Coordinates of all heavy atoms in Angstrom, one line a residue:
M4 N -4.0 12.0 6.5 CA -2.7 12.5 6.7 C -2.0 12.7 5.4 O -2.0 11.9 4.6 CB -1.9 11.7 7.7 CG -0.6 12.2 8.1 SD 0.2 11.1 9.3 CE 0.4 12.1 10.6
A5 N -1.4 13.8 5.1 CA -0.7 14.1 3.8 C 0.6 13.4 3.7 O 1.2 13.3 4.8 CB -0.7 15.6 3.7
E6 N 1.0 13.0 2.6 CA 2.4 12.5 2.5 C 3.4 13.5 2.7 O 3.3 14.7 2.5 CB 2.5 11.9 1.0 CG 1.8 10.7 0.7 CD 0.4 11.0 0.1 OE1 0.2 12.1 -0.6 OE2 -0.6 10.1 0.2
R7 N 4.4 13.1 3.4 CA 5.4 14.1 4.0 C 6.5 14.3 2.9 O 7.0 15.5 2.9 CB 6.0 13.6 5.3 CG 5.0 13.5 6.3 CD 5.6 13.0 7.5 NE 5.0 13.2 8.8 CZ 3.7 12.7 9.0 NH1 3.1 11.9 8.3 NH2 3.2 13.0 10.2
L8 N 7.1 13.3 2.3 CA 8.3 13.5 1.5 C 8.0 12.9 0.1 O 7.2 12.1 -0.1 CB 9.4 12.8 2.2 CG 9.7 13.3 3.5 CD1 10.7 12.3 4.1 CD2 10.3 14.7 3.6
P9 N 8.8 13.3 -0.9 CA 8.7 12.7 -2.2 C 9.1 11.2 -2.1 O 8.5 10.4 -2.8 CB 9.8 13.5 -3.0 CG 10.0 14.8 -2.3 CD 9.7 14.5 -0.9
M10 N 9.9 10.8 -1.2 CA 10.2 9.4 -1.0 C 8.9 8.7 -0.5 O 8.7 7.6 -0.9 CB 11.3 9.3 0.0 CG 11.7 7.8 0.4 SD 13.1 7.9 1.6 CE 12.5 8.6 2.9
D11 N 8.1 9.3 0.3 CA 6.8 8.7 0.8 C 5.7 8.6 -0.5 O 5.2 7.6 -0.6 CB 6.2 9.4 1.9 CG 7.1 9.3 3.1 OD1 7.8 8.4 3.3 OD2 6.9 10.3 4.1
Q12 N 5.8 9.7 -1.2 CA 4.9 9.7 -2.3 C 5.3 8.7 -3.4 O 4.4 8.0 -3.8 CB 4.9 11.1 -3.1 CG 4.3 12.2 -2.1 CD 4.5 13.5 -2.8 OE1 5.3 13.8 -3.7 NE2 3.7 14.5 -2.2
A13 N 6.6 8.4 -3.4 CA 7.0 7.3 -4.5 C 6.7 6.0 -4.0 O 6.3 5.1 -4.6 CB 8.6 7.5 -4.6
F14 N 6.9 5.8 -2.6 CA 6.5 4.5 -2.1 C 4.9 4.2 -2.2 O 4.6 3.2 -2.6 CB 6.9 4.5 -0.5 CG 6.5 3.2 0.1 CD1 7.3 2.0 -0.1 CD2 5.4 3.2 1.0 CE1 6.9 0.9 0.6 CE2 5.2 1.9 1.7 CZ 5.9 0.9 1.5
I15 N 4.0 5.2 -2.0 CA 2.6 5.0 -2.1 C 2.3 4.8 -3.7 O 1.6 4.0 -3.9 CB 1.9 6.3 -1.6 CG1 2.1 6.5 -0.2 CG2 0.5 6.3 -2.0 CD1 1.5 5.4 0.7
G16 N 2.9 5.6 -4.5 CA 2.7 5.4 -6.0 C 3.1 4.0 -6.4 O 2.4 3.4 -7.2
K17 N 4.2 3.5 -5.9 CA 4.7 2.1 -6.2 C 3.7 1.1 -5.8 O 3.4 0.2 -6.5 CB 6.1 1.8 -5.5 CG 6.6 0.4 -5.9 CD 8.0 0.3 -5.2 CE 8.6 -1.1 -5.4 NZ 9.8 -1.3 -4.7
L18 N 3.2 1.3 -4.6 CA 2.2 0.3 -4.0 C 0.9 0.3 -4.8 O 0.4 -0.7 -5.2 CB 2.0 0.6 -2.5 CG 3.1 0.3 -1.5 CD1 2.7 0.5 -0.2 CD2 3.7 -1.1 -1.6
R19 N 0.6 1.5 -5.1 CA -0.7 1.8 -5.9 C -0.6 1.1 -7.2 O -1.6 0.4 -7.7 CB -1.0 3.2 -6.0 CG -2.3 3.5 -6.8 CD -2.7 5.1 -6.8 NE -2.8 5.5 -5.4 CZ -2.2 6.4 -4.8 NH1 -1.2 7.1 -5.5 NH2 -2.5 6.9 -3.6
D20 N 0.6 1.3 -7.9 CA 0.8 0.6 -9.3 C 0.7 -0.9 -9.1 O 0.1 -1.5 -10.0 CB 2.1 1.2 -9.8 CG 2.1 2.5 -10.2 OD1 1.0 3.2 -10.4 OD2 3.3 3.1 -10.4
I21 N 1.3 -1.4 -8.1 CA 1.3 -2.8 -8.0 C -0.1 -3.4 -7.7 O -0.6 -4.4 -8.4 CB 2.2 -3.3 -6.7 CG1 3.7 -3.0 -7.1 CG2 2.0 -4.8 -6.4 CD1 4.6 -3.1 -5.9
I22 N -0.9 -2.7 -6.9 CA -2.3 -3.1 -6.6 C -3.1 -3.0 -7.8 O -3.9 -4.0 -8.3 CB -2.8 -2.2 -5.6 CG1 -2.2 -2.5 -4.2 CG2 -4.4 -2.5 -5.5 CD1 -2.5 -1.5 -3.2
L23 N -2.9 -1.8 -8.6 CA -3.7 -1.8 -9.9 C -3.3 -2.9 -11.0 O -4.1 -3.2 -11.6 CB -3.5 -0.4 -10.5 CG -4.1 0.7 -9.7 CD1 -3.7 2.1 -10.2 CD2 -5.6 0.5 -9.6
T24 N -2.1 -3.2 -11.0 CA -1.6 -4.3 -12.0 C -2.3 -5.5 -11.6 O -2.6 -6.4 -12.4 CB -0.2 -4.4 -11.8 OG1 0.5 -3.2 -12.2 CG2 0.3 -5.6 -12.8
N25 N -2.6 -5.8 -10.3 CA -3.1 -7.0 -9.8 C -4.7 -7.0 -9.5 O -5.1 -7.6 -8.7 CB -2.3 -7.6 -8.6 CG -1.0 -7.9 -9.0 OD1 -0.9 -9.1 -9.7 ND2 0.0 -7.2 -8.7
I26 N -5.4 -5.8 -10.0 CA -6.7 -5.6 -9.6 C -7.7 -6.7 -9.9 O -8.7 -7.0 -9.4 CB -7.1 -4.3 -10.2 CG1 -8.4 -3.8 -9.5 CG2 -7.4 -4.5 -11.8 CD1 -8.0 -2.9 -8.3
H27 N -7.3 -7.5 -11.0 CA -8.1 -8.6 -11.4 C -8.1 -9.8 -10.4 O -8.9 -10.7 -10.5 CB -7.7 -9.1 -12.8 CG -6.3 -9.6 -12.9 ND1 -5.3 -8.7 -12.8 CD2 -5.9 -10.9 -12.8 CE1 -4.1 -9.5 -12.9 NE2 -4.4 -10.8 -12.9
N28 N -6.9 -9.9 -9.7 CA -6.8 -11.0 -8.6 C -7.5 -10.7 -7.4 O -6.9 -10.0 -6.6 CB -5.4 -11.2 -8.5 CG -5.0 -12.4 -7.5 OD1 -5.9 -13.0 -7.0 ND2 -3.7 -12.6 -7.4
E29 N -8.7 -11.3 -7.2 CA -9.4 -11.0 -5.9 C -8.6 -11.6 -4.7 O -9.0 -11.1 -3.5 CB -10.8 -11.5 -6.0 CG -10.9 -13.0 -6.1 CD -12.3 -13.6 -6.4 OE1 -13.0 -12.8 -7.2 OE2 -12.7 -14.5 -5.8
N30 N -7.7 -12.4 -4.9 CA -7.0 -13.0 -3.7 C -5.7 -12.3 -3.3 O -5.0 -12.7 -2.5 CB -6.7 -14.5 -3.9 CG -8.0 -15.4 -4.0 OD1 -9.0 -15.1 -3.3 ND2 -8.1 -16.3 -4.9
F31 N -5.5 -11.3 -4.1 CA -4.3 -10.5 -4.0 C -4.3 -9.7 -2.5 O -5.4 -9.0 -2.2 CB -4.2 -9.3 -5.0 CG -2.9 -8.5 -4.9 CD1 -1.7 -9.2 -5.5 CD2 -2.8 -7.3 -4.4 CE1 -0.5 -8.5 -5.4 CE2 -1.7 -6.5 -4.3 CZ -0.5 -7.1 -4.9
G32 N -3.3 -10.0 -1.7 CA -3.4 -9.4 -0.4 C -2.1 -8.7 -0.1 O -1.2 -8.6 -0.7
V33 N -1.9 -8.5 1.4 CA -0.7 -7.8 1.9 C 0.5 -8.6 1.5 O 1.6 -8.0 1.2 CB -0.9 -7.5 3.3 CG1 0.3 -6.8 3.9 CG2 -2.2 -6.7 3.5
G34 N 0.5 -10.0 1.7 CA 1.7 -10.8 1.5 C 2.1 -10.7 0.1 O 3.3 -10.6 -0.3
D35 N 1.1 -10.7 -0.8 CA 1.4 -10.7 -2.2 C 2.0 -9.2 -2.7 O 2.9 -9.2 -3.4 CB 0.1 -10.9 -3.2 CG -0.4 -12.2 -2.8 OD1 0.4 -13.3 -2.9 OD2 -1.7 -12.3 -2.7
L36 N 1.5 -8.2 -2.0 CA 2.0 -6.9 -2.2 C 3.3 -6.7 -1.7 O 4.3 -6.2 -2.4 CB 1.1 -5.9 -1.5 CG 1.4 -4.4 -1.5 CD1 1.4 -3.9 -3.1 CD2 0.4 -3.6 -0.7
A37 N 3.7 -7.3 -0.5 CA 5.0 -7.2 0.0 C 6.1 -7.9 -0.8 O 7.2 -7.4 -1.1 CB 5.1 -7.9 1.4
I38 N 5.7 -9.1 -1.4 CA 6.5 -9.8 -2.3 C 6.8 -9.0 -3.6 O 8.0 -8.8 -4.1 CB 6.1 -11.2 -2.8 CG1 6.0 -12.0 -1.5 CG2 6.7 -11.8 -3.9 CD1 5.3 -13.4 -1.7
A39 N 5.8 -8.4 -4.2 CA 5.9 -7.6 -5.4 C 6.7 -6.4 -5.1 O 7.4 -5.9 -6.1 CB 4.5 -7.3 -6.0
A40 N 6.6 -5.8 -4.0 CA 7.2 -4.5 -3.7 C 8.7 -4.7 -3.2 O 9.5 -3.9 -3.1 CB 6.5 -3.7 -2.6
G41 N 9.1 -6.0 -2.9 CA 10.4 -6.3 -2.4 C 10.7 -5.9 -1.0 O 11.8 -5.7 -0.6
V42 N 9.6 -5.8 -0.2 CA 9.9 -5.4 1.3 C 8.9 -6.3 2.0 O 8.1 -7.1 1.5 CB 9.4 -3.9 1.5 CG1 10.3 -2.9 0.8 CG2 7.9 -3.6 1.1
S43 N 9.2 -6.3 3.3 CA 8.4 -7.1 4.3 C 7.0 -6.6 4.5 O 6.8 -5.3 4.4 CB 9.2 -7.3 5.7 OG 9.2 -6.1 6.3
R44 N 6.2 -7.5 5.0 CA 4.8 -7.1 5.4 C 4.7 -6.0 6.4 O 4.2 -5.1 6.4 CB 4.0 -8.2 5.8 CG 3.7 -9.3 4.9 CD 3.1 -10.5 5.4 NE 2.0 -10.3 6.3 CZ 0.7 -10.6 6.0 NH1 0.4 -11.4 4.9 NH2 -0.2 -10.3 6.8
I45 N 5.7 -6.2 7.5 CA 5.7 -5.2 8.6 C 6.2 -3.7 8.0 O 5.7 -2.8 8.5 CB 6.6 -5.8 9.7 CG1 6.4 -4.9 11.0 CG2 8.1 -5.7 9.5 CD1 5.0 -5.1 11.7
T46 N 7.1 -3.8 7.1 CA 7.6 -2.5 6.6 C 6.4 -1.9 5.9 O 6.3 -0.6 6.1 CB 8.8 -2.7 5.5 OG1 9.8 -3.4 6.3 CG2 9.3 -1.5 4.9
I47 N 5.7 -2.6 5.1 CA 4.6 -2.0 4.4 C 3.6 -1.5 5.4 O 3.0 -0.2 5.3 CB 3.9 -3.0 3.5 CG1 4.7 -3.3 2.3 CG2 2.5 -2.4 3.1 CD1 4.2 -4.3 1.4
Y48 N 3.3 -2.2 6.4 CA 2.3 -1.8 7.5 C 2.9 -0.6 8.2 O 2.1 0.4 8.4 CB 2.2 -2.9 8.6 CG 1.4 -2.5 9.7 CD1 -0.1 -2.4 9.6 CD2 1.9 -2.1 10.9 CE1 -0.8 -2.1 10.7 CE2 1.1 -1.7 12.0 CZ -0.2 -1.7 11.8 OH -1.0 -1.2 12.9
R49 N 4.1 -0.6 8.6 CA 4.6 0.5 9.4 C 4.7 1.8 8.5 O 4.3 3.0 9.0 CB 6.0 0.4 9.9 CG 6.0 -0.7 11.0 CD 7.4 -1.0 11.5 NE 7.4 -1.8 12.7 CZ 8.5 -2.6 13.0 NH1 9.7 -2.4 12.4 NH2 8.3 -3.4 14.2
R50 N 5.1 1.8 7.3 CA 5.1 3.0 6.4 C 3.8 3.5 6.2 O 3.5 4.6 6.1 CB 5.9 2.7 5.2 CG 7.4 2.4 5.6 CD 8.5 2.6 4.5 NE 8.4 3.9 3.8 CZ 9.0 4.2 2.7 NH1 9.7 3.2 2.2 NH2 8.9 5.4 2.1
L51 N 2.8 2.6 5.9 CA 1.4 3.1 5.5 C 0.8 3.7 6.8 O 0.2 4.7 6.7 CB 0.6 1.9 5.0 CG 0.8 1.5 3.6 CD1 0.1 0.3 3.2 CD2 0.5 2.7 2.6
R52 N 1.1 3.1 7.9 CA 0.7 3.6 9.2 C 1.1 5.1 9.3 O 0.4 5.9 9.8 CB 1.0 2.8 10.3 CG 0.3 3.2 11.6 CD -1.2 3.2 11.6 NE -1.8 1.9 11.4 CZ -3.1 1.6 11.3 NH1 -3.9 2.7 11.6 NH2 -3.5 0.4 11.1
F53 N 2.4 5.3 9.0 CA 3.1 6.5 9.3 C 2.7 7.6 8.3 O 2.3 8.6 8.7 CB 4.6 6.3 9.2 CG 5.4 7.7 9.3 CD1 5.4 8.3 10.7 CD2 6.0 8.2 8.2 CE1 6.2 9.5 10.7 CE2 6.6 9.4 8.4 CZ 6.8 10.1 9.6
I54 N 2.6 7.1 7.0 CA 2.2 8.1 5.9 C 0.8 8.4 5.9 O 0.4 9.5 5.8 CB 2.7 7.4 4.5 CG1 4.3 7.3 4.5 CG2 2.4 8.5 3.4 CD1 4.7 6.5 3.4
K55 N 0.0 7.4 5.9 CA -1.5 7.6 5.6 C -2.4 7.3 6.8 O -3.6 7.3 6.8 CB -2.0 6.7 4.4 CG -1.1 7.1 3.1 CD -1.8 6.6 1.9 CE -3.1 7.0 1.5 NZ -3.4 8.2 0.9
N56 N -1.8 6.9 7.9 CA -2.5 6.3 9.1 C -3.7 5.3 8.8 O -4.8 5.5 9.2 CB -3.1 7.6 9.8 CG -3.5 7.3 11.1 OD1 -3.0 6.5 11.8 ND2 -4.5 8.1 11.7
Q57 N -3.2 4.4 8.0 CA -4.2 3.3 7.6 C -3.4 2.0 7.5 O -2.2 2.0 7.2 CB -5.0 3.5 6.5 CG -4.4 3.7 5.3 CD -5.3 4.0 4.1 OE1 -4.9 4.1 2.9 NE2 -6.6 4.2 4.4
G58 N -3.9 0.8 7.7 CA -3.3 -0.4 7.5 C -3.2 -0.9 6.1 O -3.9 -0.2 5.2
A59 N -2.4 -1.8 5.9 CA -2.2 -2.2 4.4 C -3.5 -2.8 3.8 O -3.7 -2.5 2.6 CB -1.0 -3.4 4.4
S60 N -4.3 -3.7 4.4 CA -5.5 -4.2 3.9 C -6.4 -3.1 3.6 O -7.2 -3.1 2.6 CB -6.1 -5.1 5.0 OG -5.3 -6.2 5.1
Q61 N -6.5 -2.2 4.4 CA -7.4 -1.0 4.2 C -6.9 -0.1 3.1 O -7.8 0.2 2.2 CB -7.5 0.0 5.5 CG -8.4 1.1 5.3 CD -8.5 2.0 6.6 OE1 -7.7 1.7 7.5 NE2 -9.2 3.0 6.7
F62 N -5.6 0.0 2.8 CA -5.1 0.7 1.8 C -5.4 0.0 0.3 O -5.9 0.5 -0.6 CB -3.5 0.9 1.9 CG -2.9 1.6 0.8 CD1 -3.1 2.9 0.5 CD2 -2.0 0.8 -0.1 CE1 -2.3 3.4 -0.5 CE2 -1.5 1.5 -1.2 CZ -1.6 2.9 -1.3
I63 N -5.3 -1.4 0.5 CA -5.6 -2.1 -0.7 C -7.1 -2.0 -1.1 O -7.5 -1.9 -2.2 CB -5.3 -3.7 -0.5 CG1 -3.7 -3.7 -0.5 CG2 -5.9 -4.5 -1.6 CD1 -3.2 -5.1 0.0
R64 N -8.1 -2.1 0.0 CA -9.4 -2.0 -0.3 C -9.8 -0.7 -0.9 O -10.7 -0.5 -1.8 CB -10.2 -2.2 1.0 CG -10.4 -3.6 1.4 CD -11.4 -3.8 2.4 NE -11.1 -3.0 3.6 CZ -10.4 -3.3 4.7 NH1 -9.9 -4.6 4.8 NH2 -10.2 -2.5 5.8
E65 N -9.2 0.4 -0.4 CA -9.4 1.7 -0.8 C -9.0 1.9 -2.4 O -9.8 2.5 -3.0 CB -8.7 2.8 0.0 CG -8.9 4.2 -0.3 CD -7.9 5.1 0.4 OE1 -8.2 5.3 1.6 OE2 -7.1 5.7 -0.1
I66 N -7.9 1.4 -2.6 CA -7.6 1.5 -4.2 C -8.4 0.7 -5.1 O -8.8 1.1 -6.0 CB -6.0 0.8 -4.3 CG1 -5.0 1.6 -3.4 CG2 -5.7 0.9 -5.8 CD1 -4.8 3.2 -3.9
R67 N -8.9 -0.5 -4.6 CA -9.9 -1.4 -5.3 C -11.2 -0.5 -5.5 O -11.9 -0.7 -6.5 CB -10.1 -2.6 -4.8 CG -8.9 -3.6 -4.9 CD -9.2 -4.9 -4.3 NE -8.1 -5.8 -4.6 CZ -8.1 -7.0 -4.2 NH1 -9.1 -7.6 -3.6 NH2 -7.2 -7.8 -4.5
L68 N -11.7 0.1 -4.4 CA -12.9 0.7 -4.5 C -12.9 1.9 -5.5 O -13.9 2.2 -6.1 CB -13.4 1.3 -3.1 CG -13.8 0.1 -2.2 CD1 -14.1 0.7 -0.8 CD2 -15.1 -0.6 -2.7
R69 N -11.8 2.6 -5.6 CA -11.7 3.6 -6.6 C -11.7 3.1 -7.9 O -12.1 3.6 -8.8 CB -10.4 4.5 -6.3 CG -10.6 5.3 -5.0 CD -9.3 6.0 -4.9 NE -9.4 6.8 -3.6 CZ -8.3 7.3 -3.1 NH1 -7.2 7.3 -3.6 NH2 -8.4 7.9 -1.9

C-alpha cells in the first residue's frame, strides 16, 4: 500500500531513521522504537497498519533485511 500523505511519509522516514541508527542493537524492538519516536506502541502499530498494512515488528525486520 502506498503512503498517502507527506505526513505519513515523514512518519515512515522518522521510524526508518531511528531503526537504522539502532541497527547494531539486535535487541531493538517495538518498545524501543516507540520510546525513541516519542509515541506509544499502539500508535506505531495503528499508523503502520494503516500506511503500509504491516505490523511494527515486520516493519523493523524489513528495514534490517535491506
Side-chain angles (χ1 to χ4, degrees):
M4 184 178 238
E6 288 92 30
R7 290 177 165 69
L8 303 170
M10 181 173 61
D11 292 339
Q12 292 174 346
F14 181 73
I15 295 297
K17 178 180 178 180
L18 295 182
R19 184 175 294 125
D20 290 344
I21 293 168
I22 294 166
L23 291 174
T24 300
N25 292 284
I26 199 82
H27 63 281
N28 182 359
E29 64 186 39
N30 295 319
F31 187 79
V33 180
D35 302 314
L36 180 60
I38 291 168
V42 295
S43 68
R44 291 171 53 117
I45 194 69
T46 299
I47 289 176
Y48 174 79
R49 286 179 179 165
R50 292 203 53 196
L51 283 174
R52 185 61 64 183
F53 177 74
I54 297 167
K55 298 193 63 79
N56 197 27
Q57 62 183 187
S60 295
Q61 184 180 2
F62 179 72
I63 292 171
R64 280 192 309 265
E65 181 181 290
I66 299 299
R67 285 185 175 180
L68 286 174
R69 288 185 186 162

